[in-house]
Amino acid sequence: MLEAGKRRVIFLHSWYTHPESRSKCRGFFLRNIFLKFFIGKTLDGMRMSEEYLESTEHLDYTCIQPAHLLHGPVTDQKFKVSDTESCVPDAAQAINRADVARYMLDVLDDETSFRKVRAIGVGEP
């Protein structure tokens, strides 16, 4: 990217990349079985890449961490955002892929989203 003179990148990760946030996950099975034994290592890898990005100076990145992805259509729901946790406790645990794409387009040129790892959600828990 340096050679091409490009700085802006957007990554799609997941809720719960911070191991500390996994205890906030609602639901016994999801918290104690699924996150721990099925996707925990993948989430740990995502967190490692976020830590690497945080140490770089040459990229204007945004790591978007949506909840569970659904196949529904785009909506006009207002996004709930957290820059401090890798989940949004007051949002639903699922979001339509189309809404995630809408959010990605919304932040593409938004300089307040540069160099952020940002969890997103919609709706109520």
Side-chain angles (χ1 to χ4, degrees), residues 7-19:
R7 296 182 50 90
R8 185 69 173 129
V9 291
I10 297 179
F11 295 96
L12 184 62
H13 283 190
S14 176
W15 273 14
Y16 308 120
T17 59
H18 288 258

Side-chain angles (χ1 to χ4, degrees), residues 27-80:
F28 176 84
F29 177 79
L30 187 59
R31 180 180 55 250
N32 295 304
I33 307 297
F34 191 71
L35 290 178
K36 191 173 194 175
F37 296 110
F38 289 93
I39 65 168
K41 296 286 184 194
T42 301
L43 296 172
D44 292 343
M46 288 179 184
R47 181 62 195 143
M48 286 175 52
S49 68
E50 292 164 2
E51 289 170 342
Y52 171 76
L53 287 169
E54 290 167 346
S55 72
T56 67
E57 295 295 325
H58 67 282
L59 294 174
D60 292 328
Y61 65 87
T62 303
C63 287
I64 299 172
Q65 300 172 318
H68 172 76
L69 296 172
L70 302 174
H71 294 293
V74 69
T75 70
D76 61 355
Q77 293 185 71
K78 184 172 173 25
F79 291 105
K80 296 180 179 183

